[in-house]
């Protein structure tokens, strides 16, 4: 089992590989979570890790 937030493009890309997909239309309960994910992603992009040898 997996829980994921997917865009329409993601859903189209995975196609039949998704056995079940429950769409949530305009659900503001996730706004805070999405802002934190965006902030974390921006921080990672700003400070990429250097490859280890």
């Amino acid at each position: 089992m997996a829980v994921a937030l997917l865009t329409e493009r993601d859903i189209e890309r995975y196609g039949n590989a998704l056995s079940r997909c429950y769409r949530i239309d305009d659900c503001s309960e996730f706004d805070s979570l999405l802002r934190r994910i965006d902030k974390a992603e921006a921080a990672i992009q700003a400070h990429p890790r250097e490859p280890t040898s």
Side-chain angles (χ1 to χ4, degrees):
M1 180 177 140
V3 176
L5 300 173
L6 303 173
T7 64
E8 287 291 328
R9 183 174 176 221
D10 293 332
I11 294 169
E12 290 172 8
R13 184 179 324 146
Y14 291 117
N16 293 334
L18 293 174
S19 59
R20 293 185 196 157
C21 180
Y22 300 98
R23 295 174 189 266
I24 301 173
D25 295 320
D26 195 25
C27 188
S28 61
E29 286 85 3
F30 292 106
D31 289 349
S32 175
L33 174 61
L34 294 173
R35 278 194 300 276
R36 289 186 296 199
I37 291 171
D38 288 343
K39 184 177 178 181
E41 185 175 357
I44 290 170
Q45 296 297 322
H47 303 290
R49 297 174 72 183
E50 294 191 22
T52 58
S53 44

